[in-house]
């Protein structure tokens, strides 16, 4: 919608952050320009170098670079060494 500056992406959505070597996979993602946030209200998988995070929702704030993953969250970290 051009008036509200919101974007809706659906069906096999892949968002790639090339500089961070990260990809986000979901079936539905909204982007809200006014708040500079991405919202995935359903199952979401984020994959980066040596890490994979899965949850039942995801919010990402572009300005603060913060993620909030909802529901039951599963994380795989490759190469992690316990202290």
């Amino acid at each position: 919608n051009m008036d509200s500056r919101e974007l809706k992406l659906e069906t096999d959505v892949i968002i790639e952050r090339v500089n961070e070597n990260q990809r986000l996979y979901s079936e539905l993602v909204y982007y809200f320009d006014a708040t500079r946030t991405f919202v995935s209200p359903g199952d979401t998988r984020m994959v980066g170098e040596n890490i994979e995070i899965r949850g039942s929702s995801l919010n990402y704030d572009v300005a603060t670079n913060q993620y909030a993953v909802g529901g039951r969250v599963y994380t795989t970290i490759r190469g992690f060494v316990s202290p």
Side-chain angles (χ1 to χ4, degrees):
N1 183 334
M2 294 304 289
D3 294 333
S4 62
R5 298 179 60 111
E6 297 173 3
L7 177 64
K8 178 182 179 182
L9 304 170
E10 54 189 341
T11 312
D12 296 328
V13 178
I14 301 172
I15 298 174
E16 187 167 7
R17 294 181 68 198
V18 176
N19 292 343
E20 303 295 327
N21 193 26
Q22 295 175 342
R23 288 167 308 288
L24 173 78
Y25 300 91
S26 183
E27 287 300 307
L28 177 63
V29 176
Y30 296 97
Y31 175 72
F32 301 98
D33 189 57
T35 57
R36 297 184 64 204
T37 55
F38 286 90
V39 176
S40 176
D43 290 345
T44 306
R45 181 169 66 107
M46 189 172 72
V47 178
E49 191 171 327
N50 298 319
I51 192 165
E52 179 176 344
I53 301 169
R54 292 181 291 131
S56 60
S57 66
L58 179 135
N59 291 0
Y60 172 65
D61 186 316
V62 175
T64 63
N65 198 31
Q66 292 184 329
Y67 294 90
V69 181
R72 193 170 283 244
V73 178
Y74 299 91
T75 304
T76 302
I77 303 172
R78 290 173 288 286
F80 178 77
V81 179
S82 296

